[in-house]
Amino acid sequence: MTRAFIAVCLDEPTRAAVAAEIERLRPLSRAVAWVPSPNLHLTLKFLGEQSDARLAEALLGIEEVAAGRAPFALTLHGLGAFPGLERPRILWVGVAEGALPIRALQSGVESALEHRQFTPESRPWHPHLTIGRVFDPRRWRRDASPALRESIAHAATMPFGTFEVSRVALMRSDLQPSGARYSELHSVSLAGT
């Protein structure tokens, strides 16, 4: 069984810009589990533990969706938190330009996989790039400095770059004591690339 998800990967300049912001924020709180630079991506669908046969089915769904989509530009912009900065669970970078095409891509993936008997996501999907997770809300309230909250609020309009979304990746997630390690199993180019 393989723990897997479907994602859009970043180009290197955009990854470097986001990683630099994470490094700037890191010393401001130990309450946040910051995402390592190699793990930065936009998740389209989490698949969980799947057999090789089910992953092959997922890949067919991705190919079906990719065949009908053209590449598009995606701009990462601003910082925020789900559900909010008072009690965050996820710290994120938002999507500006390209929000509609990435939503359409995710919706297509969700539909294609639901058609193949994958469990649909129960919550609405919001395009974002996770940069940190808060696992202990009490620790956040105790350890998250006003400087961190202020930095996130001030970065609400910070640009991180624009890159072309030209492929969708089927990713493997290996959980280790040091954290998750992601590797690309397959990628499928969007039509026209």
Side-chain angles (χ1 to χ4, degrees):
M1 297 292 274
T2 301
R3 190 170 192 260
F5 60 94
I6 299 168
V8 167
C9 299
L10 308 182
D11 69 352
E12 285 311 311
T14 306
R15 179 186 308 281
V18 173
E21 183 63 10
I22 290 172
E23 290 310 309
R24 189 182 73 75
L25 297 172
R26 185 183 305 275
L28 301 178
S29 178
R30 292 191 328 262
V32 180
W34 299 102
V35 175
S37 177
N39 286 2
L40 292 169
H41 67 276
L42 282 91
T43 302
L44 299 178
K45 178 150 183 78
F46 180 70
L47 300 174
E49 296 283 338
Q50 300 292 334
S51 67
D52 288 347
R54 292 297 285 155
L55 290 177
E57 278 291 313
L59 188 58
L60 288 174
I62 296 168
E63 289 171 347
E64 176 184 294
V65 173
R69 311 255 176 218
F72 58 92
L74 191 71
T75 300
L76 296 182
H77 181 88
L79 296 183
F82 292 139
L85 277 177
E86 287 308 309
R87 295 176 188 259
R89 287 190 314 271
I90 302 289
L91 300 179
W92 49 257
V93 170
V95 171
E97 179 187 347
L100 291 177
I102 193 90
R103 280 181 185 273
L105 178 62
Q106 189 279 335
S107 177
V109 167
E110 187 71 49
S111 295
L113 269 64
E114 186 176 357
H115 179 73
R116 289 171 169 78
Q117 310 308 313
F118 285 87
T119 305
E121 182 59 54
S122 59
R123 295 174 293 185
W125 185 81
H126 300 285
H128 70 281
L129 171 70
T130 299
I131 61 168
R133 291 179 176 81
V134 177
F135 294 108
D136 183 349
R138 288 178 301 208
R139 187 172 182 192
W140 169 265
R141 287 190 299 277
R142 187 179 64 240
D143 293 347
S145 70
L148 175 62
R149 294 171 200 236
E150 187 175 302
S151 289
I152 292 170
H154 279 96
T157 59
M158 175 182 276
F160 290 97
T162 300
F163 65 100
E164 182 179 67
V165 175
S166 59
R167 63 189 185 91
V168 176
L170 178 61
M171 305 290 291
R172 175 187 185 114
S173 173
D174 292 307
L175 300 179
Q176 302 172 346
S178 59
R181 183 172 184 185
Y182 303 149
S183 54
E184 191 174 298
L185 295 172
H186 300 282
S187 73
V188 179
S189 294
L190 300 184
T193 62

PDB file of all heavy atoms in Angstrom, residues 12 17 22 27 32 37 53 57 63 67 79 88 110 116 118 128 133 135 145 156-157 163 166 171 182 185-187 191:
ATOM      1  N   GLU A  12      11.067  26.212  -9.413  1.00  0.00           N
ATOM      2  CA  GLU A  12      12.102  26.502  -8.409  1.00  0.00           C
ATOM      3  C   GLU A  12      12.113  27.953  -7.926  1.00  0.00           C
ATOM      4  O   GLU A  12      12.273  28.187  -6.728  1.00  0.00           O
ATOM      5  CB  GLU A  12      13.483  26.060  -8.904  1.00  0.00           C
ATOM      6  CG  GLU A  12      13.666  24.550  -8.841  1.00  0.00           C
ATOM      7  CD  GLU A  12      13.269  23.922  -7.501  1.00  0.00           C
ATOM      8  OE1 GLU A  12      13.696  24.411  -6.435  1.00  0.00           O
ATOM      9  OE2 GLU A  12      12.511  22.940  -7.505  1.00  0.00           O
ATOM     10  N   ALA A  17      11.121  31.451  -3.225  1.00  0.00           N
ATOM     11  CA  ALA A  17      10.514  32.642  -2.608  1.00  0.00           C
ATOM     12  C   ALA A  17       9.684  32.255  -1.391  1.00  0.00           C
ATOM     13  O   ALA A  17       9.746  32.912  -0.340  1.00  0.00           O
ATOM     14  CB  ALA A  17       9.654  33.382  -3.630  1.00  0.00           C
ATOM     15  N   ILE A  22       9.256  31.248   4.746  1.00  0.00           N
ATOM     16  CA  ILE A  22       9.174  30.286   5.856  1.00  0.00           C
ATOM     17  C   ILE A  22      10.381  30.458   6.777  1.00  0.00           C
ATOM     18  O   ILE A  22      10.239  30.481   8.007  1.00  0.00           O
ATOM     19  CB  ILE A  22       9.088  28.834   5.326  1.00  0.00           C
ATOM     20  CG1 ILE A  22       7.728  28.602   4.663  1.00  0.00           C
ATOM     21  CG2 ILE A  22       9.320  27.824   6.456  1.00  0.00           C
ATOM     22  CD1 ILE A  22       7.607  27.280   3.931  1.00  0.00           C
ATOM     23  N   PRO A  27      11.797  31.430  13.146  1.00  0.00           N
ATOM     24  CA  PRO A  27      12.239  31.740  14.509  1.00  0.00           C
ATOM     25  C   PRO A  27      11.165  32.395  15.378  1.00  0.00           C
ATOM     26  O   PRO A  27      11.345  32.506  16.590  1.00  0.00           O
ATOM     27  CB  PRO A  27      13.412  32.712  14.313  1.00  0.00           C
ATOM     28  CG  PRO A  27      13.641  32.842  12.867  1.00  0.00           C
ATOM     29  CD  PRO A  27      12.531  32.167  12.134  1.00  0.00           C
ATOM     30  N   VAL A  32       4.617  26.054  15.396  1.00  0.00           N
ATOM     31  CA  VAL A  32       4.282  25.729  14.005  1.00  0.00           C
ATOM     32  C   VAL A  32       5.242  24.665  13.485  1.00  0.00           C
ATOM     33  O   VAL A  32       6.458  24.779  13.637  1.00  0.00           O
ATOM     34  CB  VAL A  32       4.366  26.986  13.107  1.00  0.00           C
ATOM     35  CG1 VAL A  32       4.028  26.638  11.665  1.00  0.00           C
ATOM     36  CG2 VAL A  32       3.456  28.084  13.626  1.00  0.00           C
ATOM     37  N   SER A  37      11.082  22.919   2.398  1.00  0.00           N
ATOM     38  CA  SER A  37      11.046  23.407   1.018  1.00  0.00           C
ATOM     39  C   SER A  37      10.753  22.320  -0.022  1.00  0.00           C
ATOM     40  O   SER A  37       9.921  22.531  -0.908  1.00  0.00           O
ATOM     41  CB  SER A  37      12.359  24.124   0.699  1.00  0.00           C
ATOM     42  OG  SER A  37      12.370  24.544  -0.634  1.00  0.00           O
ATOM     43  N   ALA A  53      -3.012  -1.114  -7.895  1.00  0.00           N
ATOM     44  CA  ALA A  53      -4.130  -1.128  -8.855  1.00  0.00           C
ATOM     45  C   ALA A  53      -4.974   0.143  -8.711  1.00  0.00           C
ATOM     46  O   ALA A  53      -5.392   0.732  -9.714  1.00  0.00           O
ATOM     47  CB  ALA A  53      -4.997  -2.369  -8.641  1.00  0.00           C
ATOM     48  N   GLU A  57      -5.667   3.328 -11.331  1.00  0.00           N
ATOM     49  CA  GLU A  57      -6.990   3.919 -11.612  1.00  0.00           C
ATOM     50  C   GLU A  57      -6.955   5.440 -11.441  1.00  0.00           C
ATOM     51  O   GLU A  57      -7.509   6.183 -12.240  1.00  0.00           O
ATOM     52  CB  GLU A  57      -8.049   3.329 -10.673  1.00  0.00           C
ATOM     53  CG  GLU A  57      -8.597   2.005 -11.105  1.00  0.00           C
ATOM     54  CD  GLU A  57      -9.447   2.126 -12.353  1.00  0.00           C
ATOM     55  OE1 GLU A  57     -10.319   3.016 -12.436  1.00  0.00           O
ATOM     56  OE2 GLU A  57      -9.230   1.312 -13.266  1.00  0.00           O
ATOM     57  N   GLU A  63      -5.111  11.459 -16.161  1.00  0.00           N
ATOM     58  CA  GLU A  63      -4.891  11.567 -17.609  1.00  0.00           C
ATOM     59  C   GLU A  63      -6.140  12.070 -18.319  1.00  0.00           C
ATOM     60  O   GLU A  63      -6.062  12.907 -19.213  1.00  0.00           O
ATOM     61  CB  GLU A  63      -4.453  10.213 -18.175  1.00  0.00           C
ATOM     62  CG  GLU A  63      -3.046   9.831 -17.749  1.00  0.00           C
ATOM     63  CD  GLU A  63      -2.676   8.399 -18.106  1.00  0.00           C
ATOM     64  OE1 GLU A  63      -3.574   7.592 -18.463  1.00  0.00           O
ATOM     65  OE2 GLU A  63      -1.479   8.082 -17.994  1.00  0.00           O
ATOM     66  N   ALA A  67      -6.093  15.757 -20.250  1.00  0.00           N
ATOM     67  CA  ALA A  67      -6.275  15.811 -21.704  1.00  0.00           C
ATOM     68  C   ALA A  67      -7.177  16.961 -22.119  1.00  0.00           C
ATOM     69  O   ALA A  67      -7.031  17.504 -23.214  1.00  0.00           O
ATOM     70  CB  ALA A  67      -6.853  14.484 -22.198  1.00  0.00           C
ATOM     71  N   LEU A  79      -0.269  35.663   2.713  1.00  0.00           N
ATOM     72  CA  LEU A  79      -0.287  34.635   3.750  1.00  0.00           C
ATOM     73  C   LEU A  79      -1.608  34.701   4.493  1.00  0.00           C
ATOM     74  O   LEU A  79      -2.232  35.762   4.588  1.00  0.00           O
ATOM     75  CB  LEU A  79       0.840  34.848   4.762  1.00  0.00           C
ATOM     76  CG  LEU A  79       2.269  34.737   4.266  1.00  0.00           C
ATOM     77  CD1 LEU A  79       3.233  34.918   5.437  1.00  0.00           C
ATOM     78  CD2 LEU A  79       2.529  33.411   3.589  1.00  0.00           C
ATOM     79  N   PRO A  88      -5.357  28.956  14.481  1.00  0.00           N
ATOM     80  CA  PRO A  88      -5.036  28.365  13.176  1.00  0.00           C
ATOM     81  C   PRO A  88      -4.723  26.874  13.280  1.00  0.00           C
ATOM     82  O   PRO A  88      -4.200  26.408  14.281  1.00  0.00           O
ATOM     83  CB  PRO A  88      -3.796  29.145  12.746  1.00  0.00           C
ATOM     84  CG  PRO A  88      -3.138  29.502  14.028  1.00  0.00           C
ATOM     85  CD  PRO A  88      -4.262  29.772  14.989  1.00  0.00           C
ATOM     86  N   GLU A 110     -11.401  15.685  -8.839  1.00  0.00           N
ATOM     87  CA  GLU A 110     -12.348  15.134  -7.848  1.00  0.00           C
ATOM     88  C   GLU A 110     -13.434  14.319  -8.544  1.00  0.00           C
ATOM     89  O   GLU A 110     -13.740  13.204  -8.130  1.00  0.00           O
ATOM     90  CB  GLU A 110     -12.964  16.281  -7.038  1.00  0.00           C
ATOM     91  CG  GLU A 110     -13.829  15.830  -5.891  1.00  0.00           C
ATOM     92  CD  GLU A 110     -13.065  15.222  -4.738  1.00  0.00           C
ATOM     93  OE1 GLU A 110     -12.079  15.816  -4.276  1.00  0.00           O
ATOM     94  OE2 GLU A 110     -13.466  14.123  -4.297  1.00  0.00           O
ATOM     95  N   ARG A 116     -14.414   6.834 -10.354  1.00  0.00           N
ATOM     96  CA  ARG A 116     -13.633   5.601 -10.188  1.00  0.00           C
ATOM     97  C   ARG A 116     -13.703   5.067  -8.754  1.00  0.00           C
ATOM     98  O   ARG A 116     -12.833   4.343  -8.317  1.00  0.00           O
ATOM     99  CB  ARG A 116     -12.191   5.857 -10.613  1.00  0.00           C
ATOM    100  CG  ARG A 116     -12.061   6.025 -12.112  1.00  0.00           C
ATOM    101  CD  ARG A 116     -10.679   6.505 -12.527  1.00  0.00           C
ATOM    102  NE  ARG A 116     -10.528   6.408 -13.959  1.00  0.00           N
ATOM    103  CZ  ARG A 116     -11.044   7.280 -14.836  1.00  0.00           C
ATOM    104  NH1 ARG A 116     -11.735   8.319 -14.406  1.00  0.00           N
ATOM    105  NH2 ARG A 116     -10.878   7.116 -16.132  1.00  0.00           N
ATOM    106  N   PHE A 118     -13.354   6.543  -5.816  1.00  0.00           N
ATOM    107  CA  PHE A 118     -12.582   7.150  -4.731  1.00  0.00           C
ATOM    108  C   PHE A 118     -13.537   8.010  -3.912  1.00  0.00           C
ATOM    109  O   PHE A 118     -14.439   8.652  -4.469  1.00  0.00           O
ATOM    110  CB  PHE A 118     -11.440   8.007  -5.282  1.00  0.00           C
ATOM    111  CG  PHE A 118     -10.292   7.200  -5.807  1.00  0.00           C
ATOM    112  CD1 PHE A 118     -10.280   6.736  -7.108  1.00  0.00           C
ATOM    113  CD2 PHE A 118      -9.206   6.903  -4.982  1.00  0.00           C
ATOM    114  CE1 PHE A 118      -9.226   5.993  -7.600  1.00  0.00           C
ATOM    115  CE2 PHE A 118      -8.142   6.152  -5.463  1.00  0.00           C
ATOM    116  CZ  PHE A 118      -8.156   5.685  -6.774  1.00  0.00           C
ATOM    117  N   HIS A 128      -4.726  26.759  -2.099  1.00  0.00           N
ATOM    118  CA  HIS A 128      -3.732  27.314  -1.186  1.00  0.00           C
ATOM    119  C   HIS A 128      -2.507  26.407  -1.173  1.00  0.00           C
ATOM    120  O   HIS A 128      -2.576  25.251  -1.584  1.00  0.00           O
ATOM    121  CB  HIS A 128      -4.295  27.424   0.238  1.00  0.00           C
ATOM    122  CG  HIS A 128      -4.500  26.097   0.892  1.00  0.00           C
ATOM    123  ND1 HIS A 128      -5.581  25.294   0.619  1.00  0.00           N
ATOM    124  CD2 HIS A 128      -3.736  25.425   1.786  1.00  0.00           C
ATOM    125  CE1 HIS A 128      -5.480  24.181   1.315  1.00  0.00           C
ATOM    126  NE2 HIS A 128      -4.377  24.219   2.031  1.00  0.00           N
ATOM    127  N   ARG A 133       1.771  23.886   9.896  1.00  0.00           N
ATOM    128  CA  ARG A 133       0.622  23.305  10.592  1.00  0.00           C
ATOM    129  C   ARG A 133       0.774  23.551  12.091  1.00  0.00           C
ATOM    130  O   ARG A 133       1.870  23.444  12.629  1.00  0.00           O
ATOM    131  CB  ARG A 133       0.540  21.807  10.328  1.00  0.00           C
ATOM    132  CG  ARG A 133       0.168  21.476   8.911  1.00  0.00           C
ATOM    133  CD  ARG A 133       0.112  19.964   8.669  1.00  0.00           C
ATOM    134  NE  ARG A 133      -0.345  19.670   7.333  1.00  0.00           N
ATOM    135  CZ  ARG A 133       0.424  19.699   6.255  1.00  0.00           C
ATOM    136  NH1 ARG A 133       1.690  19.995   6.364  1.00  0.00           N
ATOM    137  NH2 ARG A 133      -0.068  19.431   5.066  1.00  0.00           N
ATOM    138  N   PHE A 135      -0.406  21.926  15.435  1.00  0.00           N
ATOM    139  CA  PHE A 135      -1.015  20.709  15.956  1.00  0.00           C
ATOM    140  C   PHE A 135      -1.553  20.882  17.374  1.00  0.00           C
ATOM    141  O   PHE A 135      -2.391  20.117  17.816  1.00  0.00           O
ATOM    142  CB  PHE A 135      -0.017  19.546  15.909  1.00  0.00           C
ATOM    143  CG  PHE A 135       0.342  19.151  14.497  1.00  0.00           C
ATOM    144  CD1 PHE A 135       1.588  19.449  13.975  1.00  0.00           C
ATOM    145  CD2 PHE A 135      -0.574  18.499  13.688  1.00  0.00           C
ATOM    146  CE1 PHE A 135       1.918  19.089  12.679  1.00  0.00           C
ATOM    147  CE2 PHE A 135      -0.252  18.134  12.390  1.00  0.00           C
ATOM    148  CZ  PHE A 135       0.999  18.425  11.890  1.00  0.00           C
ATOM    149  N   SER A 145       4.327  34.185  18.953  1.00  0.00           N
ATOM    150  CA  SER A 145       4.627  35.559  19.349  1.00  0.00           C
ATOM    151  C   SER A 145       3.753  36.554  18.588  1.00  0.00           C
ATOM    152  O   SER A 145       3.299  36.284  17.473  1.00  0.00           O
ATOM    153  CB  SER A 145       6.094  35.862  19.059  1.00  0.00           C
ATOM    154  OG  SER A 145       6.303  35.926  17.665  1.00  0.00           O
ATOM    155  N   ALA A 156      -0.045  39.649   4.024  1.00  0.00           N
ATOM    156  CA  ALA A 156      -1.317  39.294   3.363  1.00  0.00           C
ATOM    157  C   ALA A 156      -1.325  39.676   1.888  1.00  0.00           C
ATOM    158  O   ALA A 156      -2.103  39.123   1.116  1.00  0.00           O
ATOM    159  CB  ALA A 156      -2.490  39.944   4.090  1.00  0.00           C
ATOM    160  N   THR A 157      -0.481  40.623   1.496  1.00  0.00           N
ATOM    161  CA  THR A 157      -0.441  41.032   0.088  1.00  0.00           C
ATOM    162  C   THR A 157       0.918  40.753  -0.566  1.00  0.00           C
ATOM    163  O   THR A 157       1.184  41.237  -1.655  1.00  0.00           O
ATOM    164  CB  THR A 157      -0.758  42.535  -0.041  1.00  0.00           C
ATOM    165  OG1 THR A 157       0.199  43.270   0.719  1.00  0.00           O
ATOM    166  CG2 THR A 157      -2.164  42.841   0.458  1.00  0.00           C
ATOM    167  N   PHE A 163       3.978  31.031 -11.881  1.00  0.00           N
ATOM    168  CA  PHE A 163       4.573  29.921 -12.633  1.00  0.00           C
ATOM    169  C   PHE A 163       3.498  29.268 -13.485  1.00  0.00           C
ATOM    170  O   PHE A 163       2.307  29.472 -13.266  1.00  0.00           O
ATOM    171  CB  PHE A 163       5.243  28.903 -11.704  1.00  0.00           C
ATOM    172  CG  PHE A 163       4.304  28.179 -10.782  1.00  0.00           C
ATOM    173  CD1 PHE A 163       3.865  26.895 -11.073  1.00  0.00           C
ATOM    174  CD2 PHE A 163       3.857  28.772  -9.602  1.00  0.00           C
ATOM    175  CE1 PHE A 163       3.002  26.223 -10.221  1.00  0.00           C
ATOM    176  CE2 PHE A 163       3.007  28.108  -8.744  1.00  0.00           C
ATOM    177  CZ  PHE A 163       2.571  26.833  -9.059  1.00  0.00           C
ATOM    178  N   SER A 166       1.626  23.206 -15.837  1.00  0.00           N
ATOM    179  CA  SER A 166       1.614  22.476 -17.103  1.00  0.00           C
ATOM    180  C   SER A 166       1.494  20.966 -16.889  1.00  0.00           C
ATOM    181  O   SER A 166       1.420  20.210 -17.841  1.00  0.00           O
ATOM    182  CB  SER A 166       2.892  22.776 -17.891  1.00  0.00           C
ATOM    183  OG  SER A 166       4.029  22.401 -17.138  1.00  0.00           O
ATOM    184  N   MET A 171       1.695  11.809  -6.317  1.00  0.00           N
ATOM    185  CA  MET A 171       2.791  11.853  -5.348  1.00  0.00           C
ATOM    186  C   MET A 171       2.668  10.744  -4.306  1.00  0.00           C
ATOM    187  O   MET A 171       1.567  10.356  -3.927  1.00  0.00           O
ATOM    188  CB  MET A 171       2.805  13.207  -4.631  1.00  0.00           C
ATOM    189  CG  MET A 171       2.880  14.417  -5.524  1.00  0.00           C
ATOM    190  SD  MET A 171       4.459  14.625  -6.343  1.00  0.00           S
ATOM    191  CE  MET A 171       5.510  15.030  -4.943  1.00  0.00           C
ATOM    192  N   TYR A 182       8.103  13.419   0.419  1.00  0.00           N
ATOM    193  CA  TYR A 182       7.279  13.250  -0.775  1.00  0.00           C
ATOM    194  C   TYR A 182       8.164  12.929  -1.978  1.00  0.00           C
ATOM    195  O   TYR A 182       9.250  13.483  -2.131  1.00  0.00           O
ATOM    196  CB  TYR A 182       6.489  14.527  -1.083  1.00  0.00           C
ATOM    197  CG  TYR A 182       5.608  14.993   0.054  1.00  0.00           C
ATOM    198  CD1 TYR A 182       5.349  16.337   0.236  1.00  0.00           C
ATOM    199  CD2 TYR A 182       5.032  14.101   0.944  1.00  0.00           C
ATOM    200  CE1 TYR A 182       4.533  16.780   1.262  1.00  0.00           C
ATOM    201  CE2 TYR A 182       4.221  14.523   1.974  1.00  0.00           C
ATOM    202  CZ  TYR A 182       3.979  15.871   2.132  1.00  0.00           C
ATOM    203  OH  TYR A 182       3.180  16.306   3.153  1.00  0.00           O
ATOM    204  N   LEU A 185       5.512   9.941  -8.193  1.00  0.00           N
ATOM    205  CA  LEU A 185       5.364   8.626  -8.805  1.00  0.00           C
ATOM    206  C   LEU A 185       5.184   8.754 -10.316  1.00  0.00           C
ATOM    207  O   LEU A 185       5.783   8.028 -11.091  1.00  0.00           O
ATOM    208  CB  LEU A 185       4.156   7.892  -8.205  1.00  0.00           C
ATOM    209  CG  LEU A 185       4.253   7.524  -6.734  1.00  0.00           C
ATOM    210  CD1 LEU A 185       2.920   6.981  -6.223  1.00  0.00           C
ATOM    211  CD2 LEU A 185       5.359   6.506  -6.518  1.00  0.00           C
ATOM    212  N   HIS A 186       4.314   9.692 -10.722  1.00  0.00           N
ATOM    213  CA  HIS A 186       4.015   9.938 -12.141  1.00  0.00           C
ATOM    214  C   HIS A 186       3.603  11.390 -12.288  1.00  0.00           C
ATOM    215  O   HIS A 186       3.103  12.000 -11.341  1.00  0.00           O
ATOM    216  CB  HIS A 186       2.839   9.072 -12.629  1.00  0.00           C
ATOM    217  CG  HIS A 186       3.064   7.611 -12.509  1.00  0.00           C
ATOM    218  ND1 HIS A 186       3.825   6.888 -13.386  1.00  0.00           N
ATOM    219  CD2 HIS A 186       2.623   6.717 -11.586  1.00  0.00           C
ATOM    220  CE1 HIS A 186       3.845   5.612 -13.027  1.00  0.00           C
ATOM    221  NE2 HIS A 186       3.121   5.492 -11.938  1.00  0.00           N
ATOM    222  N   SER A 187       3.788  11.918 -13.479  1.00  0.00           N
ATOM    223  CA  SER A 187       3.197  13.222 -13.772  1.00  0.00           C
ATOM    224  C   SER A 187       2.533  13.155 -15.148  1.00  0.00           C
ATOM    225  O   SER A 187       2.956  12.369 -15.999  1.00  0.00           O
ATOM    226  CB  SER A 187       4.221  14.352 -13.702  1.00  0.00           C
ATOM    227  OG  SER A 187       5.081  14.323 -14.805  1.00  0.00           O
ATOM    228  N   ALA A 191      -2.938  19.282 -21.636  1.00  0.00           N
ATOM    229  CA  ALA A 191      -2.981  19.298 -23.100  1.00  0.00           C
ATOM    230  C   ALA A 191      -2.190  20.476 -23.646  1.00  0.00           C
ATOM    231  O   ALA A 191      -2.235  21.575 -23.112  1.00  0.00           O
ATOM    232  CB  ALA A 191      -4.434  19.389 -23.573  1.00  0.00           C
TER     233      ALA A 191
END
